[in-house]
Amino acid sequence: MAVLPLVIAPDPVLKKKAQAIDVVDDAVRSFMDDMLDTMYEAQGIGLAANQVGDLRRILVMDVAQKEDEDAPKEPIVMANPKITWSSEELNVYQEGCLSIPDQYADVERPAEVKVTFLDRDGVEQSVHADGILATCIQHEIDHLNGILFTDHISALKRNMMLKKSLKIKKARAADLE
Ligand code: GNR
Ligand code: NI
């Protein structure tokens, strides 16, 4: 179990496409656990491997604690997630990203999705997600495809947010934050 350093935008690894894994072995499980530790420590509801500098198609989520910090943990891990169906109906959520600190914007996405993936035991599963879970899954799968939530908003807003992110990244690197 370990908290890994978070990659902050702009960074090339956030624009790269992650690669499918062959099997979920102990090394993959250990990495999934580290990703969960990292996500909980950063108080996020999701995390994709790119965000810790790794290009395997792995994401972790826990949307249970969004409303209530004392709610029991409900960790979800997915390897090789694939959206097999998206609803026509769209939904707008104010999104944020651990790799673009302190910036938020409304993003419109399909309200519901069906996803297949390999779970922590390497067993194929499928889920039909709605609400914040549907949004989060799409946000994380975007990361695995090298896409950030800022790619869904206007260029003006995007450039502003990435500039601010770079400022924060520099400040953190200089240990000022
Ligand atoms: O913590 C996070 N919150 C969030 C809020 C709305 C939509 C998506 C997210 S995911 C984000 C964590 C993160 O950056 N995951 O990649
Ligand atoms: Ni993100």
Side-chain angles (χ1 to χ4, degrees), residues 7-139:
V7 173
I8 305 302
D11 191 293
V13 78
L14 296 174
K15 310 215 86 176
K16 287 194 177 129
K17 194 172 151 81
Q19 301 303 308
I21 60 162
D22 290 332
V23 287
V24 180
D25 56 15
D26 285 348
V28 166
R29 270 187 285 278
S30 165
F31 178 58
M32 287 168 163
D33 293 345
D34 290 349
M35 284 181 65
L36 282 167
D37 285 350
T38 306
M39 180 191 77
Y40 287 125
E41 167 80 12
Q43 297 188 349
I45 60 168
L47 187 74
N50 307 51
Q51 294 180 277
V52 289
D54 190 291
L55 288 170
R56 285 175 283 182
R57 294 188 83 77
I58 296 169
L59 63 83
V60 300
M61 293 180 290
D62 189 337
V63 297
Q65 292 178 308
K66 185 180 157 65
E67 324 272 278
D68 176 8
E69 279 178 33
D70 298 327
K73 287 193 166 110
E74 287 181 33
I76 298 172
V77 305
M78 296 185 177
N80 302 348
K82 193 172 177 229
I83 293 174
T84 57
W85 172 84
S86 308
S87 63
E88 298 278 334
E89 191 197 341
L90 304 175
N91 214 342
V92 177
Y93 263 104
Q94 178 168 272
E95 298 196 16
C97 183
L98 295 172
S99 295
I100 310 173
D102 307 332
Q103 329 277 319
Y104 305 89
D106 284 350
V107 177
E108 193 175 47
R109 302 181 187 269
E112 298 174 40
V113 290
K114 285 185 186 169
V115 182
T116 62
F117 61 94
L118 300 179
D119 69 14
R120 201 175 178 283
D121 298 314
V123 176
E124 186 160 306
Q125 303 279 354
S126 56
V127 293
H128 184 156
D130 62 9
I132 186 67
L133 182 62
T135 293
C136 191
I137 288 173
Q138 293 172 80
H139 176 115

